[in-house]
Amino acid sequence: GQAADPSALCGVERIRLDRPIFRRRYRYVIRLLESYPLGMSYPAQVKRTCATLAHPALKGSRCAVDYTGVGRPVFDMLKDARPPVLLFPVLTTSGHTVTYDETTREIHVPKTEQVSLLQVLLQADLLNWHPKLGLAKSLKEQLGKFRVKITKAKNETFGAESGSHDDLVSAVMLACYLGEHFGGGDPAGIVVPD
C-alpha cells in the first residue's frame, strides 16, 4: 500500500507444539510488526524492509510478499535488492485452490484459506504477541474490525470495516500462512522492549 492503505511487515516465531492442537503443529508469536506511513514511496518502503530483514535474527528466514495488484512491482524491487531472506511472492485469490510454483516460489492462495488459518490460530490460542509489541493495540483494533461479507452472488469477501485498515491483519495472515505451509525462520532474537 501507499495511498489509501499502509504497507505492513510482520515477523513471527514458529514454535513446535508437543502435541498438535486442531491439527496445527505450531504456535506463532509475533515478534515484529511494522506499518509504513501513508505516502511513503515504494523505493523507500523497499529500503526500509531490506534494512529490517538484514537483522541477524531474520537472515535466512522465509518472507511472504504480497504479490497482488501493486505488490508485483514491489516484489520485483525487493527481489532486485536481494535481502538476506528467501522471498515467496503470494498472490491472494478469490478461488478455492492453492497452487505453488517450485521454480519461482510463487504461491496462489485463496483469501478464505488465509482467513480460516487466522481464525483457527486465534481461537486455539496459537497466535500470540506481547502487549508491549509496537502496534499491538492497532492489531487488536484491526482484528476487531475485520469482517466477512457475503455478496449477492453468494461469494465471501474479507476485509476491514469501511473507513478502517487491515494492513496489519493481512501481514499477520501472510506470515502465519507461510510458516504453516512452507516453514520459516526464527525471529526469536528480536526482543520486545520492556
Side-chain angles (χ1 to χ4, degrees):
Q2 181 187 47
D5 292 309
S7 294
L9 181 63
C10 174
V12 294
E13 176 185 5
R14 192 173 78 146
I15 301 168
R16 192 171 219 6
L17 298 170
D18 293 333
R19 285 178 290 140
I21 298 174
F22 296 116
R23 296 186 319 209
R24 301 292 166 210
R25 296 173 295 153
Y26 301 99
R27 172 180 312 281
Y28 296 90
V29 179
I30 300 172
R31 298 285 184 185
L32 167 73
L33 196 56
E34 294 183 3
S35 182
Y36 300 164
L38 288 176
M40 183 182 222
S41 72
Y42 292 126
Q45 289 183 38
V46 168
K47 185 176 180 180
R48 181 170 163 183
T49 299
C50 286
T52 300
L53 295 176
H55 187 288
L58 297 174
K59 285 186 179 178
S61 294
R62 290 176 166 93
C63 180
V65 180
D66 185 358
Y67 197 59
T68 311
V70 75
R72 286 175 183 259
V74 174
F75 173 80
D76 289 341
M77 291 169 64
L78 267 171
K79 192 168 120 183
D80 288 346
R82 303 177 58 105
V85 297
L86 198 56
L87 298 173
F88 286 77
V90 180
L91 180 72
T92 299
T93 70
S94 60
H96 299 285
T97 305
V98 175
T99 61
Y100 175 63
D101 183 315
E102 290 184 26
T103 305
T104 63
R105 292 190 297 275
E106 186 173 316
I107 307 164
H108 293 202
V109 59
K111 186 80 169 224
T112 55
E113 289 284 326
Q114 296 174 46
V115 172
S116 296
L117 174 61
L118 181 65
Q119 286 177 315
V120 168
L121 294 177
L122 287 168
Q123 290 169 358
D125 197 29
L126 295 175
L127 176 63
N128 307 105
W129 58 88
H130 192 284
K132 291 187 179 181
L133 176 73
L135 300 176
K137 182 179 175 186
S138 296
L139 174 61
K140 192 172 181 180
E141 289 171 3
Q142 285 187 19
L143 284 167
K145 294 178 180 179
F146 196 80
R147 301 281 182 258
V148 60
K149 297 171 195 150
I150 308 296
T151 66
K152 288 181 181 181
K154 306 278 191 244
N155 294 318
E156 293 175 313
T157 62
F158 303 92
E161 292 177 342
S162 179
S164 300
H165 298 293
D166 63 3
D167 53 296
L168 299 174
V169 174
S170 294
V172 169
M173 284 192 301
L174 284 178
C176 291
Y177 185 86
L178 191 67
E180 192 74 3
H181 298 283
F182 293 90
D186 184 11
I190 295 178
V191 179
V192 177
D194 289 329

